[in-house]
Amino acid sequence: MSNDRAEIEKRRTFAIISHPDAGKTTLTEKLLLYGGAIALAGSVKGKKTARHAVSDWMEIEKQRGISVTSSVLQFHYGDRCINILDTPGHQDFSEDTYRTLMAADSAVMVIDAAKGVENQTRKLFKVCVMRNIPIFTFINKMDREARDPFDLLEEIEKELGIQTYPMNWPIGSGKEFKGVYDREQQAILSFTANNGQREVESVQADLDDPNLGQLIGEEHRQTLVDDIELLDGASADFDMELVRTGKLSPVFFGSALTNFGVEPFLKEFLRLTPPPLPRNSSAGLVDPVQAPFSAFVFKIQANMNKAHRDRVAFLRICSGKFERGMEVYHVQGEKKMKLLQPQQLMAQEREIVDEAYAGDIIGVFDPGIFSIGDTICTPGHPVQYEGIPTFAPEHFARIRQVDTMKRKQFVKGTTQIAQEGAIQIFQEPNKGMEEVIVGVVGVLQFEVLEYRLKNEYNVDIRREGLPYQYIRWIDNKDLDPKKLNLTSDTKVVQDFKGNFLLLFTNEWNINWALEKNPDLRLSEVNRDT
Ligand code: G4P
């Protein structure tokens, strides 16, 4: 048992989240370099999941083998075993990000120093804050012209509603970037731009160093002294409890590309980020060390390998130790089973795992039995982890297959993609399965759906945009939806469990429905899941 404890306490599992192009791939790559997991920069490929648009999805499609790699990576640094969970860098996939965050114990937000919290990223970062896990901020690209650091911090605080604590402070930026001042060490890590050289040396010096003016320039020295005085006087105190609950984000400035500030960040991050913590379940808090093996499904992906038409369920282990071939209990399916082809990702290699511990992520073959949020545990020790909430779709379209002979593939494709949680599908009462209404959180998902149906299921579809923006489940099970008094532009649909829902074009229509039908109970989330 004590060996298991040591293994579990070594684990640090975090999600990395950023706006496209802020430098997530570059930072991940540098972290892997420090861990010795890769030998060369530029070898992390296929990372740009849904980076801009479908073109990137297609790109990923070509590299399906390594898109797995981009989902979860494990490497060692010092005596720590680190699991990095990649998240899609586009807010249209914020639901996917949220699920990934459910599997993480902390998050790293990468922000471009020239751009700050960008419009499209706001939603993504808010999702991060919703999880109440520690959030570390890496403000990247200081080797380029950056915005004022005080403004950047103020923006993060205002936009995300969290406090910030700069762990280090930048000295200039762009051509004038001289390095950072480490507030705890009270030392300067100086940056020397080296023409054409991507990795730079750093020199240490403290604020009172008589040579400081020479090292960073008199003007920068003065600004730094003033800034630090201001920070020490005005900024929030470092409070570990606030960090733990995600209310205070430690902020680091650096430059991933030039490898500046990455290792100090990694060291501090590992010092402050928690090991796997107890998780809430139907049986109360489950201790990662004391309790036997348990895990939950946070992600499902079909057709990871087109040739094999496989479907992989990703499990976050919450407690105990997983051993290959062990018997487990699938709580929702009420069945004992063995997990097939358990895989883990060591840097770029997809390997069969023999053992894994709380904090780790494993991918297992899914014959179509798992749903997102399902619990798997040791037989005889049933627990059930809290479900993962689904986001209410905000965009709707009606889709139908072009070739009516492809009905089977169409149903299979839409159903499987819906099971992955990328889309939600609904039916109009009394209509067949050859057309469905699809609801998504971000419009890009429509394009991914269209692309995947064509490429993975060989089905062309026609898509017709629908004007609905709001979805509400009807809570009253005994109510006949046909008898409701609704505006003409409100639509009654059913989900695939047969529950009735209403689609509205605006809030006014929701109020109308509630006023005209006093018994009607609506909810924004499906309470069945
Ligand atoms: P992402 O995963 O968040 O989308 O970002 P990624 O790491 O791919 O970085 C986006 C671009 O920003 C890349 O340039 C990368 O080299 C650059 N970059 C990342 N970190 C830094 C940094 O600290 N300083 C500077 N100056 N640039 C940085 P690219 O031209 O799009 O790609 P590439 O040709 O360099 O691969």
Side-chain angles (χ1 to χ4, degrees):
M1 191 68 202
S2 64
N3 185 37
D4 290 0
R5 173 185 291 276
E7 284 295 336
I8 293 168
E9 286 176 355
K10 264 191 208 174
R11 261 65 186 168
R12 295 293 182 277
T13 303
F14 69 94
I16 183 157
I17 163 171
S18 84
H19 184 269
D21 277 348
K24 186 172 54 137
T25 312
T26 314
L27 181 64
T28 307
E29 193 172 273
K30 294 291 148 75
L31 295 175
L32 292 176
L33 271 174
Y34 284 114
I38 57 170
L40 267 183
S43 43
V44 179
K45 298 203 191 78
K47 284 280 301 166
K48 300 182 178 181
T49 317
R51 180 170 152 182
H52 287 133
V54 201
S55 59
D56 283 314
W57 177 265
M58 292 176 189
E59 198 44 43
I60 282 158
E61 187 53 34
K62 279 193 228 140
Q63 309 175 346
R64 257 312 161 86
I66 33 181
S67 78
V68 191
T69 317
S70 66
S71 308
V72 192
L73 285 163
Q74 188 182 69
F75 70 99
H76 294 264
Y77 178 81
D79 61 352
R80 298 269 185 263
C81 174
I82 300 161
N83 294 303
I84 304 186
L85 294 157
D86 190 25
T87 62
H90 194 291
Q91 66 168 1
D92 277 12
F93 301 92
S94 45
E95 189 171 17
D96 203 22
T97 299
Y98 188 75
R99 289 194 206 114
T100 304
L101 286 165
M102 292 292 287
D105 297 319
S106 63
V108 171
M109 275 191 326
V110 185
I111 288 180
D112 184 328
K115 297 187 175 150
V117 181
E118 296 170 67
N119 243 339
Q120 306 127 275
T121 327
R122 208 161 286 153
K123 192 162 159 191
L124 217 53
F125 289 160
K126 282 205 167 136
V127 160
C128 201
V129 175
M130 273 160 65
R131 257 287 274 146
N132 298 323
I133 50 176
I135 302 174
F136 296 81
T137 307
F138 188 84
I139 301 190
N140 191 30
K141 303 199 187 182
M142 289 309 297
D143 59 309
R144 290 219 185 135
E145 252 355 274
R147 283 176 44 193
D148 178 76
F150 284 107
D151 283 355
L152 286 167
L153 296 190
E154 198 184 313
E155 187 172 78
I156 296 170
E157 298 204 345
K158 203 172 108 229
E159 294 292 347
L160 308 181
I162 51 175
Q163 289 178 290
T164 56
Y165 185 90
M167 305 296 284
N168 63 24
W169 195 250
I171 307 161
S173 72
K175 287 199 181 76
E176 284 291 302
F177 183 49
K178 303 294 178 192
V180 292
Y181 173 72
D182 183 319
R183 292 179 70 197
E184 188 170 298
Q185 307 281 332
Q186 303 194 336
I188 286 162
L189 214 60
S190 107
F191 172 88
T192 333
N194 242 333
N195 229 356
Q197 191 181 316
R198 289 202 152 180
E199 289 177 24
V200 293
E201 304 252 319
S202 41
V203 178
Q204 283 209 324
D206 67 33
L207 269 189
D208 308 319
D209 193 317
N211 296 323
L212 188 58
Q214 224 176 349
L215 191 67
I216 61 174
E218 186 46 39
E219 204 177 312
H220 285 303
R221 193 197 64 81
Q222 194 53 54
T223 311
L224 178 67
V225 170
D226 293 347
D227 282 0
I228 297 303
E229 199 179 299
L230 197 65
L231 276 183
D232 288 348
S235 77
D237 282 342
F238 186 82
D239 180 335
M240 200 52 214
E241 201 38 49
L242 293 179
V243 173
R244 271 195 200 111
T245 47
K247 294 190 174 70
L248 178 72
S249 176
V251 179
F252 301 79
F253 290 84
S255 158
L257 183 67
T258 58
N259 217 347
F260 181 82
V262 176
E263 197 169 25
F265 162 71
L266 179 60
K267 282 189 175 149
E268 275 302 284
F269 170 71
L270 290 177
R271 191 173 67 86
L272 299 171
T273 190
L277 296 173
R279 281 207 179 221
N280 227 348
S281 80
S282 56
L285 280 180
V286 178
D287 185 278
V289 178
Q290 303 295 334
F293 169 79
S294 69
F296 70 88
V297 178
F298 70 95
K299 181 182 166 110
I300 292 175
Q301 201 163 346
N303 305 329
M304 299 270 288
N305 179 339
K306 225 173 154 184
H308 296 109
R309 297 253 158 234
D310 58 352
R311 203 168 107 134
V312 175
F314 289 90
L315 309 180
R316 148 82 199 218
I317 304 178
C318 300
S319 64
K321 177 181 178 183
F322 166 79
E323 281 171 288
R324 187 174 164 194
M326 76 197 276
E327 188 167 67
V328 295
Y329 182 66
H330 175 211
V331 177
Q332 279 75 2
E334 298 179 4
K335 270 204 182 86
K336 280 190 195 167
M337 59 187 293
K338 285 197 173 135
L339 296 173
L340 302 172
Q341 300 166 22
Q343 307 156 14
Q344 205 172 22
L345 294 147
M346 293 291 285
Q348 286 128 306
E349 303 300 321
R350 193 168 156 175
E351 288 178 353
I352 293 288
V353 284
D354 291 321
E355 49 190 49
Y357 295 88
D360 287 341
I361 311 295
I362 54 172
V364 299
F365 174 74
D366 174 17
I369 54 171
F370 295 125
S371 296
I372 287 168
D374 282 6
T375 302
I376 286 113
C377 59
T378 305
H381 294 85
V383 288
Q384 190 171 334
Y385 289 105
E386 289 171 328
I388 302 181
T390 37
F391 284 24
E394 290 167 27
H395 308 275
F396 297 88
R398 183 182 282 119
I399 62 164
R400 62 173 71 91
Q401 77 252 42
V402 175
D403 177 355
T404 47
M405 301 297 285
K406 298 266 176 73
R407 186 174 173 278
K408 227 173 117 185
Q409 291 95 313
F410 176 77
V411 173
K412 187 172 173 201
T414 46
T415 318
Q416 284 197 340
I417 296 172
Q419 280 168 343
E420 284 182 27
I423 58 165
Q424 290 184 40
I425 46 179
F426 308 101
Q427 251 186 314
E428 290 167 83
N430 308 322
K431 280 218 173 148
M433 273 297 279
E434 54 283 340
E435 70 172 45
V436 287
I437 291 182
V438 177
V440 296
V441 177
V443 286
L444 259 184
Q445 278 163 330
F446 283 138
E447 293 177 40
V448 171
L449 171 68
E450 205 163 325
Y451 179 80
R452 291 188 59 187
L453 283 176
K454 186 169 175 55
N455 284 275
E456 292 167 23
Y457 299 90
N458 203 14
V459 182
D460 286 306
I461 55 164
R462 267 207 196 96
R463 171 158 56 98
E464 174 201 348
L466 297 173
Y468 309 107
Q469 291 184 37
Y470 299 91
I471 187 164
R472 294 288 183 271
W473 269 263
I474 299 178
D475 279 349
N476 333 45
K477 298 291 172 213
D478 48 351
L479 197 131
D480 181 357
K482 275 193 251 111
K483 296 203 175 122
L484 289 172
N485 180 358
L486 303 166
T487 55
S488 60
D489 55 352
T490 299
K491 184 173 261 317
V492 179
V493 293
Q494 271 177 295
D495 65 16
F496 278 73
K497 288 187 177 156
N499 299 311
F500 283 99
L501 306 93
L502 297 176
L503 302 182
F504 297 98
T505 50
N506 55 39
E507 283 189 62
W508 191 86
N509 285 342
I510 305 178
N511 291 333
W512 163 286
L514 289 170
E515 267 168 36
K516 302 286 173 188
N517 306 280
D519 292 337
L520 181 65
R521 295 282 165 274
L522 297 176
S523 66
E524 279 188 53
V525 288
N526 180 7
R527 296 192 196 283
D528 279 359
T529 53

